Amino acid sequence: MTHDSHGPALPEGRGPLSGAVAAYLRGTGPLPPDEAVRTADVYGGDLQLALYLCYELHYRGFAGVDPELEWDPRLLATRRAMEQRFLGALRADTPVHDSVAEALKELLVEPAEGAGVSHYLRDEGELWQLREYAAHRSLYHLKEADPHAWVLPRLWGRAKAGMAAVEFDEYGGGRPERVHARLFADLMEDLGLDPAYGRYLDAGCAPMLALVNLMSLLGLHRSLRGALVGHFAAVEITSSPGSRRLAEAMRRTGAGGAAEFFYDEHVEADAVHEQIVRRDVIGGLLAEEPHLADDVVFGIDVTEYLEQRLGDHLLSLWREGRTSLCATEENAVAI
């Protein structure tokens, strides 16, 4: 049996489901019974961490874990059961627009009185809250663009070309020092955080795990390619104004030049990406496959739904002066 020597360490489980999946990956225990999947809180840390562990095998894996487990039939069956519960809950709980045009229109209009996380951090957030935000977001930004790359083989023509153009920018336009994941690692160093891939998985809150799991779920299933395109549109369209506010938060708190640069870079780049995504990626996809319009709408709206859940979770704790991290003692000291 071959084991990966690189990659992050497996985290501790957050309940019987994730604990059993972690034990199976270590080779020290069986997979969880079906009942554990059926009864777990679908948005809770236990199910979301278990699903994240399964998905991470398709990225960098974990130190000490056999890479062949990526395609282990029993593990895939458990993952499928968790995916069905997660996707079923998302379809039931997400309010959706009637058309792609309506969903995009709402994304393009910034509310006059914003009240989200980026507004809070810009106006009154403290440095410790910016550090916590970066720790959570590192679960995505240190693999930025990777979940979306899964859709490229499932597209063709104008949609593929547009998607590839945006991804090329995300990967630094051929310059390794400008890869966005590298820029986020630099941001983390400015904030005094450990930039190692997967370092803060133990600390990541359940709503953040759910958001990253959504990307992997949509990217890894060809049948969900329309929803992945919708999700990607939501990310790119909302990124520029949110990044502007976060750059201002970094400047106000003196976070550092690299911390400011990461968000300044996204203000400019994502303003261009938004046009490409709307015109070429969505436009090209629906010109070829108009029957995917409802899936595109779902992808847009479910992204906003999970972002709202994350924002509500963070703000409810921060406004009480409480940490948002699911931190072990070691993580609490590190943050």
Side-chain angles (χ1 to χ4, degrees):
M1 181 180 291
T2 302
H3 293 88
D4 278 327
S5 58
H6 302 290
L10 270 170
E12 295 300 317
R14 299 189 189 180
L17 194 54
S18 55
V21 169
Y24 188 77
L25 295 179
R26 292 188 183 99
T28 59
L31 285 166
D34 293 343
E35 182 66 16
V37 178
R38 288 194 298 268
T39 58
D41 176 2
V42 72
Y43 297 115
D46 189 24
L47 186 143
Q48 291 299 327
L49 179 59
L51 192 52
Y52 191 102
L53 296 181
C54 293
Y55 286 144
E56 191 57 38
L57 299 178
H58 298 292
Y59 296 101
R60 300 195 195 180
F62 294 98
V65 172
D66 183 359
E68 291 296 325
L69 287 171
E70 178 183 6
W71 300 112
D72 180 87
R74 289 169 292 183
L75 186 61
L76 289 175
T78 297
R79 189 191 98 184
R80 180 62 173 162
M82 292 189 288
E83 286 179 330
Q84 288 175 331
R85 283 212 64 213
F86 185 37
L87 185 59
L90 292 174
R91 291 198 184 279
D93 297 340
T94 302
V96 295
H97 289 86
D98 292 331
S99 69
V100 173
E102 289 183 7
L104 289 174
K105 180 180 178 180
E106 189 159 319
L107 284 183
L108 289 165
V109 177
E110 279 270 289
E113 298 294 331
V117 170
S118 63
H119 295 86
Y120 175 87
L121 291 174
R122 178 195 63 189
D123 297 337
E124 56 185 298
E126 299 179 30
L127 189 58
W128 68 269
Q129 293 165 333
L130 285 169
R131 298 179 78 225
E132 287 195 0
Y133 185 72
H136 290 303
R137 287 288 183 183
S138 71
L139 301 184
Y140 163 60
H141 280 307
L142 291 180
K143 61 162 68 99
E144 186 168 346
D146 291 349
H148 305 129
W150 299 113
V151 82
L152 280 167
R154 286 90 185 256
L155 304 175
W156 61 91
R158 188 154 52 102
K160 181 189 284 283
M163 190 79 187
V166 175
E167 289 284 270
F168 184 65
D169 283 351
E170 302 286 353
Y171 289 128
R175 299 167 60 187
E177 74 278 6
R178 295 297 295 268
V179 172
H180 285 188
R182 175 66 259 171
L183 297 181
F184 194 81
D186 295 341
L187 170 150
M188 294 181 76
E189 290 180 337
D190 258 6
L191 290 171
L193 299 173
D194 185 344
Y197 182 90
R199 167 64 179 80
Y200 294 105
L201 180 52
D202 264 329
C205 63
M208 188 68 224
L209 292 175
L211 192 57
V212 182
N213 283 339
L214 172 72
M215 302 179 198
S216 298
L217 170 64
L218 300 182
L220 286 167
H221 289 271
R222 188 175 66 85
S223 62
L224 297 172
R225 63 194 179 280
L228 188 282
V229 165
H231 156 76
F232 191 62
V235 170
E236 295 299 323
I237 291 172
T238 59
S239 175
S240 187
S243 293
R244 182 176 290 107
R245 289 188 287 270
L246 290 168
E248 292 173 9
M250 295 296 176
R251 276 187 277 275
R252 181 178 61 79
T253 57
E260 295 173 21
F261 181 76
F262 176 81
Y263 288 111
D264 282 335
E265 169 76 5
H266 280 70
V267 172
E268 181 176 347
D270 291 342
V272 175
H273 293 171
E274 175 238 308
Q275 299 293 324
I276 297 172
V277 171
R278 285 197 295 127
R279 182 186 64 244
D280 295 324
V281 182
I282 292 180
L285 176 70
L286 296 183
E288 296 280 357
E289 300 187 274
H291 62 281
L292 293 180
D294 287 347
D295 288 348
V296 173
V297 171
F298 174 69
I300 293 170
D301 289 335
V302 74
T303 303
E304 291 300 290
Y305 173 72
L306 288 181
E307 285 283 5
Q308 185 65 52
R309 285 181 60 91
L310 173 63
D312 290 346
H313 175 78
L314 297 178
L315 292 177
S316 67
L317 293 168
W318 287 344
R319 285 175 173 143
E320 295 176 359
R322 297 164 57 198
T323 182
S324 62
L325 300 172
C326 296
T328 62
E329 182 176 352
E330 179 186 359
N331 279 329
V333 171
I335 295 291

